[in-house]
Amino acid sequence: MVFVKSQKSKAYFKRFQVKYKRRREGKTDYRARIRLINQDKNKYNTPKYRFVVRFTNKDITAQIISASIAGDMVLASAYSHELPHYGLEAGLTNYAAAYCTGLLLARRVLKKLEMDSEYEGNVEATGEDFTVEPAESRRPFRAFLDVGLLRTTTGNRVFGALKGALDGGLDIPHSEKRFAGFSKDSKQLDPEVHCKYIYGGHVSAYMSSLMEDEPEKYQSHFSAYIKKGIEADDFEALYKKVHAAIRADPTLKKSDKPAPKEHKRFNLKKLTYEERKQKLIERLNALNSAVGDEEEEEDE
């Protein structure tokens, strides 16, 4: 038998430190997180806000969060599933929807802090880079972009949400290099291309090409748009109406759904002590009666 040297001794295992749970699950990049939440010591207990954007298959989540010892505190949040209240009923996860969600969150948090009239942001989206200027009385609300584990490629939807928040009046340190329409060769942002993405022009172009080339695929891919009667030429006007509706009233809308009559249970109801005691007595009585019947049959 070949002698194999033990690489990991008992001392190694005694000193082994388990990583944080969210690192083990692959959910949090703690190297990035600690740089986002560390506050300057001379600012004492001033919260450091993050503009957090996350994507799922059917939804976009945007939140303003600050870290504390007790845990993360959410100041305000907005979701793309709220957009049907503002007139956008299909395509809730694309670049244009991300812009709307960012805009909604920005207007909501500024209204909550009573800064919405002072910082209106960029009222008409032109695709050009925009940075809010400080007013005389209060400084603009500052937050830092938190993308999580997302790969920050040029034209990523997370930068659509960022652009929406910037146009909404938030002060977020950024560069135009990652917006849709930035050219690597010319080192400049093309506002027309970016504007096309903000108003869903890329979706509209794909919709038109698919309608001509593959009608069957068009019917399945854009079934939600067809059901709502949205055509390829309607996108720009639709998104302009949505932006105006968000600015008019960004407050959270309560759901019209009635409360469920009965709460769904996916596990057994927990019995009280008296109920468990009664259940045991019933079982014992049933068992005794079954034994008594067997004895009677044997005697016969």
Side-chain angles (χ1 to χ4, degrees), residues 124-243:
E124 190 177 347
T126 56
E128 293 178 359
D129 191 17
F130 175 80
T131 305
V132 68
E133 295 294 328
E136 291 179 7
S137 56
R138 295 171 75 179
R139 283 177 292 184
F141 183 87
R142 171 165 277 213
F144 297 90
L145 180 65
D146 182 339
V147 298
L149 302 174
L150 199 70
R151 190 177 287 271
T152 51
T153 53
T154 303
N156 196 302
R157 291 175 297 169
V158 74
F159 298 111
L162 169 65
K163 177 62 176 159
L166 291 168
D167 284 357
L170 296 189
D171 179 20
I172 303 172
H174 68 284
S175 167
E176 63 179 25
K177 289 182 180 179
R178 289 301 178 198
F179 289 139
F182 183 84
S183 174
K184 207 174 183 181
D185 301 325
S186 64
K187 308 281 185 189
Q188 286 183 338
L189 176 69
D190 187 345
E192 288 182 9
V193 175
H194 195 199
C195 189
K196 187 182 87 170
Y197 274 81
I198 289 168
Y199 291 114
H202 59 301
V203 181
S204 175
Y206 181 58
M207 200 174 179
S208 301
S209 65
L210 212 61
M211 197 190 300
E212 292 173 9
D213 302 338
E214 299 176 71
E216 290 179 8
K217 194 176 179 182
Y218 165 76
Q219 292 290 333
S220 63
H221 270 50
F222 291 97
S223 57
Y225 288 88
I226 294 164
K227 193 177 177 182
K228 300 293 179 184
I230 302 167
E231 295 181 1
D233 301 330
D234 303 338
F235 277 78
E236 190 170 342
L238 173 67
Y239 281 108
K240 280 184 177 176
K241 282 180 185 175
V242 172
H243 298 168

Side-chain angles (χ1 to χ4, degrees), residues 55-70:
F55 292 86
T56 66
N57 287 342
K58 293 184 179 181
D59 206 6
I60 302 170
T61 305
Q63 296 172 313
I64 298 290
I65 299 177
S66 62
S68 72
I69 291 173

Side-chain angles (χ1 to χ4, degrees), residues 66-118:
S66 62
S68 72
I69 291 173
D72 281 7
M73 302 294 181
V74 180
L75 178 67
S77 60
Y79 303 88
S80 66
H81 66 246
E82 295 177 57
L83 296 177
H85 292 298
Y86 298 97
L88 186 65
E89 295 181 316
L92 302 179
T93 54
N94 56 33
Y95 194 95
Y99 177 91
C100 293
T101 310
L103 178 66
L104 176 60
L105 177 61
R107 298 313 300 164
R108 186 170 287 173
V109 74
L110 290 175
K111 191 172 181 69
K112 187 175 183 178
L113 299 171
E114 297 178 355
M115 295 167 67
D116 54 327
S117 57
E118 202 168 1

Side-chain angles (χ1 to χ4, degrees), residues 18-51:
V18 178
K19 286 181 169 57
Y20 290 151
K21 184 181 177 183
R22 287 184 67 86
R23 171 62 192 88
R24 297 198 306 270
E25 291 173 346
K27 289 180 179 178
T28 300
D29 178 1
Y30 280 99
R31 182 182 167 84
R33 178 181 165 81
I34 203 157
R35 283 159 176 74
L36 280 168
I37 67 173
N38 268 6
Q39 181 63 290
D40 298 335
K41 297 298 177 190
N42 62 352
K43 291 181 182 174
Y44 301 98
N45 206 25
T46 306
K48 189 173 184 178
Y49 292 104
R50 290 175 288 137
F51 175 67

